[in-house]
Amino acid sequence: MNQTLLNRSLQSVWHPCTQMKQHETYPLTPIARGDGVWLYDTDGKRYLDGVSSWWVNLFGHNNTAIKDAIKQQLDTLEHVMLAGFTHQPVVELSEKLAKLTGLGHAFYASDGASATEIALKMSFHFWRNSGKPSKTKFISLQNSYHGETLGALGVTDVAIFKDTYAPLLMQSAQMPSPDFRLAETGEGAEAYALRCADALEQYVSEHSHELAAFIIEPLVQCAAGMAMYHPVYLKCAREICTTYSVHLIADEIAVGFGRTGTMFACEQATEVNHALKERPVFADFMCLSKGITGGYLPLSVVLTRDEIYQAFYDEKVTKAFLHSHSYTGNPLACSAALATLSIFETDNILQKNRETSDFIWGEMQALNNLSSHNLPIEHLRRPNLNRSGMIFAFDVITQNPNFARDCYAAALAQGLLIRPIGNTVYLMPPYTINHEEISYALQASIHAVSKAVK
Ligand SMILES: *Cc1c(COP(=O)(O)O)cnc(C)c1O
């Protein structure tokens, strides 16, 4: 291992989501290059990127199409401010996203948390511009994750990220999570989701005068530990928000761009109108980031409806949305996003993913057969009631308080990058993973889990 680089990193880089002292026993991994699903360290040892580098990489590292698009853009225009100026990539991307989502106005930022901030501010500001200044509060789901800046953390409900900063945060109420694992014994995922929707309606009906928006991660609460739920909850949430005039913010930062089997997870909430071949628009605001550039450059966007946009359109400057970030709509990032969207079309990715997902699911059934590996696991799952999607998770029953860390370390030693969340082990690989690589990842996972359960 390149000890000098590791030591210099520990001296000068404050790593995210890390107790730095733990690096006394768990060393950093210095990565020199990436190719396809593989990351290579400075000694040439390779690791299969089983978490798509924190859920951002869709089509593998060193992807020719995305790389070429960025290079071409680099020779034309690297950046220009988006206030008072515009450019081809940002216009094209906004038009494409409008077509895909039915939400015709795109506001850009650089990371997911900023997208959450923007959606919250826009919702509040819409009500204010519309003569309803009392609608200032937000609700989210129990165990939700919407980012870690102060506003986003205010609607996040993951104790380890939130509790320390509680005195700094705006208050928000959490609705019962429809996570199927929380159902009563004998109660199905759908019945439980409906029960949670009833609780949501109860709360919203009593508080609608002060509620601006309900923010939700459609189908999978990823950071909570890949908590999955029945799509009927989304359908109910949409109806409840419409009935009581509360905005619905779909945070598709993690699940957007094909992760759950459809381009966007919230598509699964609504029926296709076959006469029009269209789905009704689900969200008032949709937040996108992570996979949007295929994992190449930071970019996020909040999409919204024309009616909301129109409430800001006025002679008065203060009615405008004056929010800004320096790198808003960066042309290089937009060109990476356009190349990413092209791959979905040219390579028929959603169809291909269905096949890959079914293959992985089939292989994972062997895991479910506990006797073959003696692994104490439960709740083996993938999105859409196990029907599709490129997220695979199970929970490990163990008394080891350091299970996540030990499993991570054991997998790395086997040449696999996974990052368990508590006792939940998941794979969220790049869509380009092939059969051989899938077997490799599953073998290494089994090995790592069996080592870490103790
Ligand atoms: C990752 C994530 C965010 C925050 O995005 P960052 O780019 O890390 O700030 C917000 N919401 C969800 C659902 C996420 O998974």
Side-chain angles (χ1 to χ4, degrees), residues 16 142 170 213 234 264 320 345 350 360 366 437:
Q142 203 182 7
M170 82 177 162
L234 293 176
F264 301 106
E345 287 169 27
L350 294 179
I360 297 179
E437 290 158 348

Side-chain angles (χ1 to χ4, degrees), residues 54-56 110-116 145-149 152 156 216-217 220-223 251-255 287 289-290 299-300:
W54 256 352
W55 320 343
V56 301
S110 314
D111 54 59
S114 298
T116 298
Y145 182 92
H146 300 290
E148 293 171 59
T149 52
T156 286
I216 186 168
E217 295 158 272
V220 190
Q221 296 181 283
C222 295
D251 177 351
E252 295 243 3
I253 290 166
V255 292
C287 302
S289 187
K290 289 205 167 98
L299 181 72
S300 66

Side-chain angles (χ1 to χ4, degrees), residues 44-57:
K45 178 175 172 176
R46 63 180 195 167
Y47 309 86
L48 195 150
D49 190 351
V51 296
S52 298
S53 286
W54 256 352
W55 320 343
V56 301
N57 189 298

Side-chain angles (χ1 to χ4, degrees), residues 380-396:
L380 180 61
R381 58 193 181 273
R382 63 174 168 164
N384 193 2
L385 310 173
N386 297 332
R387 282 204 296 266
S388 62
M390 286 294 284
I391 306 172
F392 308 86
F394 55 84
D395 303 333
V396 177

